[in-house]
């Protein structure tokens, strides 16, 4: 019996694998719609472990083309996660989301809405079988279409819907981040291509747009069918991502992709009437759906594509599992976090310094690399132009010699005729022989020049190859400049984070130090009042000890501020802190103490060491603390 156990185990594994593969998402999904139409969704894999509940990846969106980019397209860092777990190419579980392979067509819209109208006893619109993108719809109308499609799917194609655990897929608009990640080519392109204005390249990895998107030149300034056979999809298998019609996404328009404070929905991509130079992945505009008089605005060049999502609460995970998964996500590199203080050093700590040093080194390396590439580019251009000019001159020389040869031949033929009919036969023979010699010489020179032309043709061919190499080098220069722009973005972002964190630390230390100074002053005032009543030291002993302890703590915080913070930030922090103290109506003496604190900071920086006994003795009489 034992000898059959391995066989049975293998069979069981195969059965479980086959069954599990049906539960997990994998390839393109096609759903049947009413009236024999259909819609396809493309899986967008994220390279994230499918076993982690809240796994996400950090992505940079926006333009890499320099500081002249307007606020709509500036670089912004955000997170992206999946809605489903699929099996990737190497058989591992991986997070993914689904995006419509094409923009929603008029035929798809018509089929779903006609079914919806029949179901709800509404006026049924005429049949429309056009495969052009559905445009000029308001968000409310689009959401009605999405609602109708979800109802249709649950009633007629529920078993075909992918799941995340127990959570069944539903149709929605894609988020702006989902759209942008897919438009850049996702994980199917290299990081350098992901950073480019669009992810289309030739065999030499140079950017190319022809054959991939509809714009003014390629479309004849007319909208085209969705998923047309005359263009190719992007690296993820998606059509018309940045051309044909613009696309509405489910995001709030703002200066970044995550924390938008205001704005309408976001429109992404370009359209068929735009110049090719204006088509780029980073293009984004704000949806404006109403005129000043309250009339609807219908945008004839704006359509939409769909995505599939799921409900987190319906996945089948317990609340404890979801909480644990979220805690693990927060502690990961991709988790949303805020900078906080750590240890006794200032926030320009070594780890951040190392990061900035790395970015600076990377930036310097990219600058040096671009300089070398530009020099090589210039050299190739000079050599190519010189070779091309030399070849043109040789061709001119050959043409001139050919014309001269033809003229000599005509003269020889005329002389031969004269020699047959003239008594000067011998003289003409001499002349003809002379011309024959000249013709032979010209033939030899022509052959020599033809050889030179052949050699120069090889040189020009090499020059063409050099030109290709030059274009490749130029592409490398452009990629290096984009990497340089991204590195600068990271450096500036970290510098700003450091300044903000420095100010927070300085404010906290100053606030505590100021309170300790005020507490010490208040106890000294109490001691003075008690002395007027009695000379017994026991009466004010507690106040004395508290004043001494407060001054010790005050001195410690003063030293921390001097050693661990940037002195240039103090004036601004002091102004903000005094404003806060006044708004909260604290004692005027605590506000005055800020001036004394500032003087003590200056003295410590100049080398003076604060003594607790001197502070104790003189605090009530310091000019800054005067009543």
């Amino acid at each position: 019996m034992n000898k059959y156990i391995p066989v049975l185990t293998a069979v069981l594994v195969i059965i479980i694998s086959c069954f599990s593969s049906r539960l997990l998402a994998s390839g393109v999904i096609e759903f049947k719609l009413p009236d024999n139409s259909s819609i396809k969704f493309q899986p967008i894999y994220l390279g994230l472990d499918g076993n982690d509940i809240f796994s996400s990846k950090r992505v940079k969106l926006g333009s890499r083309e320099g500081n002249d980019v307007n606020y709509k397209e500036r670089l912004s860092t955000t997170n992206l996660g999946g809605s489903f777990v699929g099996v990737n190419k190497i058989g591992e579980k991986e997070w993914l989301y689904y995006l419509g392979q094409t923009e929603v067509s008029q035929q798809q819209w018509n089929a779903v809405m006609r079914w919806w109208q029949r179901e709800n006893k509404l006026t049924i619109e005429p049949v429309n079988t056009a495969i052009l993108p559905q445009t000029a719809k308001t968000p409310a109308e689009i959401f009605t279409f999405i609602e109708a499609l979800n109802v249709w799917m649950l009633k007629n194609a529920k078993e075909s819907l992918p799941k995340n655990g127990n959570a069944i897929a539903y149709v929605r608009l894609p988020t702006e981040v989902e759209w942008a990640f897919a438009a850049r080519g996702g994980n199917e392109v290299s990081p350098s291509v992901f950073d480019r204005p669009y992810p289309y390249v030739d065999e030499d990895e140079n950017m190319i747009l022809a054959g991939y998107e509809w714009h003014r030149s390629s479309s004849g300034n007319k909208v085209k069918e969705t998923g047309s056979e005359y263009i190719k999809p992007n690296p993820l298998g998606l059509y018309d991502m940045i051309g044909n019609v613009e696309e509405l996404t489910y995001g709030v328009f703002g200066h970044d992709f995550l924390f938008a404070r205001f704005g309408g929905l976001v429109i992404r991509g370009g359209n068929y009437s735009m110049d090719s130079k204006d088509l780029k992945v980073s293009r984004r505009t704000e949806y404006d759906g109403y005129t000043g008089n309250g009339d609807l605005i219908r945008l004839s060049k704006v359509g939409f594509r769909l995505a599939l999502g799921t409900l987190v609460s319906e996945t089948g995970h317990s609340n404890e599992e979801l909480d644990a998964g979220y805690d693990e996500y927060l502690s990961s590199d991709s988790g949303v976090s805020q900078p906080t203080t750590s240890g006794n050093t200032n926030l320009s700590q070594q780890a951040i310094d190392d990061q900035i040093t790395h970015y600076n080194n990377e930036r310097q390396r990219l600058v040096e690399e671009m300089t070398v590439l530009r020099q090589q580019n210039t050299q190739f251009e000079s050599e190519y132009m010189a070779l091309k000019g030399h070849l043109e001159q040789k061709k001119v020389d050959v043409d001139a010699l050919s014309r001269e040869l033809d003229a000599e031949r005509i003269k020889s033929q005329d002389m031969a005729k004269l020699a047959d009919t003239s008594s000067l036969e011998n003289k003409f023979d001499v002349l003809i022989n002379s011309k024959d010699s000249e013709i032979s010489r010209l033939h030899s020179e022509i052959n020599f020049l033809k050889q030179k032309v052949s050699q120069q043709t090889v040189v020009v061919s090499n020059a063409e190859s050099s030109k290709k190499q030059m274009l490749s080098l130029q592409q490398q220069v452009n990629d290096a400049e984009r990497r340089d722009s991204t590195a600068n973005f990271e450096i500036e972002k970290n510098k700003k984070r450091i300044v903000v964190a420095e100010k927070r630390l300085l404010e906290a230390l100053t606030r505590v130090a100021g309170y300790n100074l005020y507490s010490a002053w208040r106890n000294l005032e109490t001691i003075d009042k008690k002395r007027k009543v009695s000379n017994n030291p026991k009466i004010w002993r507690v106040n004395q000890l508290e004043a001494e302890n407060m001054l010790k703590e005050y001195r410690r915080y003063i030293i921390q501020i001097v050693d661990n913070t940037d002195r240039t930030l103090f004036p601004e922090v002091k102004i903000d802190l005094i404003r806060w103290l006044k708004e909260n109506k604290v004692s005027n003496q605590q506000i005055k103490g800020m001036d004394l604190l500032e003087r003590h900071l200056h003295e410590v920086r100049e080398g003076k060491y604060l003594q607790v006994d001197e502070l104790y003795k003189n605090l009530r009489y310091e000019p800054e603390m005067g009543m």
Side-chain angles (χ1 to χ4, degrees):
M1 181 65 182
N2 292 338
K3 66 180 181 179
Y4 296 108
I5 291 178
V7 177
L8 293 174
T9 302
V11 172
L12 184 61
V13 168
I14 294 172
I15 294 173
I16 292 174
S17 300
C18 294
F19 180 73
S20 299
S21 65
R22 295 180 181 178
L23 298 179
L24 296 175
S26 55
V28 177
I29 298 178
E30 182 175 6
F31 297 109
K32 296 297 182 182
L33 301 180
D35 299 337
N36 295 319
S37 59
S38 64
I39 187 169
K40 293 181 180 180
F41 289 89
Q42 198 79 18
I44 314 298
Y45 284 89
L46 297 173
L48 299 171
D49 187 352
N51 296 305
D52 294 339
I53 297 177
F54 290 106
S55 183
S56 69
K57 70 187 305 170
R58 189 156 294 177
V59 292
K60 290 186 183 66
L61 302 179
S63 176
R64 278 77 162 158
E65 300 306 308
N67 293 328
D68 59 338
V69 179
N70 62 45
Y71 78 97
K72 300 177 184 179
E73 300 175 21
R74 289 288 174 89
L75 273 176
S76 180
T77 303
T78 186
N79 285 5
L80 174 62
S83 298
F84 306 93
V85 176
V87 178
N88 59 23
K89 296 176 181 177
I90 59 175
E92 296 177 345
K93 291 183 179 180
E94 184 177 329
W95 280 104
L96 60 89
Y97 62 95
Y98 281 100
L99 198 60
Q101 195 177 85
T102 66
E103 296 148 341
V104 171
S105 70
Q106 294 177 18
Q107 181 190 41
Q108 292 167 337
W109 176 283
N110 183 259
V112 172
M113 293 310 295
R114 281 171 56 82
W115 173 83
W116 178 255
Q117 290 154 0
R118 285 194 298 269
E119 287 288 306
N120 292 276
K121 297 180 173 55
L122 303 172
T123 302
I124 300 175
E125 60 190 66
V127 174
N128 184 352
T129 59
I131 313 179
L132 299 174
Q134 180 63 66
T135 61
K137 297 296 183 182
T138 68
E141 291 168 339
I142 292 173
F143 287 131
T144 300
F145 169 80
I146 290 174
E147 180 181 353
L149 180 55
N150 276 316
V151 173
W152 162 266
M153 302 277 269
L154 288 172
K155 288 179 177 292
N156 299 278
K158 185 174 181 179
E159 297 303 319
S160 301
L161 290 169
K163 294 182 179 181
N164 178 9
N166 297 328
I168 302 175
Y170 70 93
V171 179
R172 58 171 171 78
L173 284 177
T175 66
E176 185 179 8
V177 183
E178 289 173 337
W179 186 96
F181 180 78
R184 289 187 177 278
N187 290 340
E188 292 299 315
V189 299
S190 65
S192 62
V193 174
F194 186 88
D195 284 345
R196 294 178 184 176
Y198 42 81
Y200 310 123
V201 296
D202 59 18
E203 65 275 6
D204 297 319
E205 289 290 302
N206 295 319
M207 288 174 55
I208 181 174
L209 190 60
Y212 285 96
E213 295 288 355
W214 295 118
H215 47 82
R216 182 181 298 170
S217 298
S218 62
S219 71
N221 203 24
K222 293 182 179 179
V223 67
K224 297 295 182 178
E225 294 182 346
T226 61
S228 170
E229 62 179 317
Y230 299 107
I231 62 170
K232 293 175 282 189
N234 83 346
L236 289 170
L238 305 170
Y239 290 85
D240 301 323
M241 285 301 288
I242 61 173
N244 209 17
V245 296
E246 300 166 57
E247 300 180 15
L248 190 69
T249 64
Y250 195 60
V252 178
F253 185 89
H255 60 278
D256 56 31
F257 300 88
L258 186 59
F259 299 112
R261 294 178 178 84
F262 48 81
L265 294 177
V266 185
I267 298 171
R268 296 303 303 254
N271 61 63
Y272 62 87
S273 67
M274 294 175 58
D275 288 333
S276 58
K277 62 182 178 61
D278 295 325
L279 289 190
K280 53 184 177 178
V281 176
S282 60
R283 176 180 168 82
R284 62 198 296 260
T285 53
E286 186 174 15
Y287 177 81
D288 183 5
Y290 309 95
T291 66
N293 297 325
D295 296 325
L296 292 176
I297 297 176
R298 295 189 176 275
L299 303 175
S300 62
K301 297 178 183 179
V302 176
F304 67 100
R305 73 178 66 227
L306 298 174
L308 296 179
T310 56
L311 299 177
V312 175
S313 58
E314 298 294 327
T315 57
H317 295 289
S318 65
N319 290 335
E320 291 77 12
E321 289 174 325
L322 293 173
D323 287 340
Y326 189 65
D327 289 339
E328 183 178 351
Y329 160 72
L330 288 179
S331 63
S332 68
D333 292 338
S334 60
V336 177
S337 60
Q338 299 293 334
T340 57
T341 61
S342 177
N344 295 322
T345 61
N346 67 15
L347 291 188
S348 299
Q349 52 191 280
Q350 189 62 44
I352 297 178
D353 288 341
D354 289 345
Q355 187 179 20
I356 292 179
T357 300
H358 165 73
Y359 284 126
N360 281 328
N361 291 340
E362 176 68 7
R363 183 176 183 277
Q364 183 61 34
R365 184 186 68 78
L366 291 172
V367 170
E368 293 172 357
E369 182 180 331
M370 282 190 289
T371 301
V372 173
L373 290 173
R374 285 195 177 105
Q375 290 173 350
Q376 292 177 350
N377 187 15
T378 302
Q379 181 181 353
F380 279 124
E381 285 182 340
S382 299
E383 292 178 357
Y384 174 74
M385 295 305 295
L387 289 170
K388 192 172 182 180
H390 188 57
L391 178 61
E392 292 295 332
Q393 184 59 47
K394 290 298 182 183
K395 287 182 177 179
V396 171
D397 293 343
V398 170
D399 291 340
L401 287 171
S402 295
R403 288 193 296 271
E404 186 178 346
L405 178 59
D406 291 339
E408 291 298 334
R409 281 176 176 166
I410 293 171
K411 289 180 182 180
S412 296
Q413 291 172 359
D414 292 341
M415 288 180 183
K417 291 177 181 178
L418 289 172
D420 292 338
T421 60
S422 174
S423 60
L424 300 175
E425 182 176 349
N426 293 332
K427 291 181 179 181
F428 284 131
D429 285 342
V430 172
L431 289 173
I432 289 172
N433 290 335
S434 175
K435 291 301 180 181
D436 286 341
S437 299
E438 180 65 14
I439 290 171
S440 298
R441 184 188 69 78
L442 290 173
H443 271 299
S444 299
E445 186 168 350
I446 287 174
N447 290 332
F448 173 75
L449 288 173
K450 285 182 177 179
Q451 291 175 358
K452 293 292 290 183
V453 169
S454 179
Q455 294 172 358
Q456 293 300 325
T457 302
V458 174
V459 173
V460 169
S461 177
N462 292 334
E464 291 291 341
S465 177
S466 297
K467 185 177 180 181
K468 280 189 176 180
Q469 188 175 1
M470 177 187 68
L471 291 174
S472 178
L473 288 171
Q474 184 61 48
Q475 184 66 65
Q476 294 177 41
V477 169
N478 294 339
D479 290 342
E481 288 175 343
R482 275 188 285 271
R483 292 197 299 271
D484 178 54
S485 175
T486 303
N488 278 330
F489 164 74
E490 288 293 339
I491 292 170
E492 291 302 319
K493 182 175 69 175
N494 282 319
K495 284 181 180 177
K496 291 177 182 177
R497 284 180 175 173
I498 290 170
V499 170
V500 171
E502 282 270 11
K503 288 176 67 176
R504 288 178 180 171
L505 174 60
L506 179 55
E507 179 185 349
L509 293 174
T510 305
R511 190 189 296 271
V512 176
Y515 181 76
N516 286 338
L517 182 65
Y518 168 69
S519 295
W521 176 87
R522 187 176 58 186
N523 278 283
L524 291 174
E525 285 289 306
T526 302
I527 291 172
D528 184 65
K529 292 178 182 178
K530 288 182 177 180
R531 274 179 172 165
K532 292 177 181 179
V533 177
S534 172
N535 291 327
N536 186 358
K538 292 182 179 180
I539 296 177
W540 60 79
R541 180 60 178 165
V542 173
N543 298 104
Q544 180 182 355
L545 291 174
E546 186 172 352
E548 290 174 350
N549 288 333
M550 290 295 102
L551 290 173
K552 288 178 182 177
E553 287 296 301
Y554 172 73
R555 181 183 64 182
R556 183 167 70 85
Y557 283 116
I558 289 294
I559 294 172
Q560 281 193 44
I561 292 172
V562 171
D563 290 345
N564 299 329
T565 64
D566 183 352
R567 65 190 302 170
T568 62
L569 298 176
F570 182 79
E572 182 181 352
V573 170
K574 178 186 173 185
I575 292 172
D576 292 340
L577 190 52
I578 289 176
R579 184 187 301 112
W580 182 88
L581 292 172
K582 288 180 178 179
E583 289 173 354
N584 287 272
K585 299 179 180 180
V586 301
S587 170
N588 193 47
Q589 288 302 122
Q590 188 171 349
I591 296 174
K592 288 181 177 182
M594 298 302 296
D595 294 329
L596 179 59
L597 184 150
E598 185 174 16
R599 174 159 66 85
H600 285 159
L601 289 175
H602 178 72
E603 291 174 351
V604 172
R605 289 192 179 100
E606 294 296 319
K608 181 178 178 180
Y609 188 77
L610 296 179
Q611 299 291 340
V612 174
D613 54 350
E614 287 187 14
L615 291 172
Y616 185 90
K617 180 171 62 176
N618 300 323
L619 180 58
R620 293 180 61 246
Y621 309 105
E622 296 286 6
E624 292 88 350
M625 303 300 289
M627 299 297 290

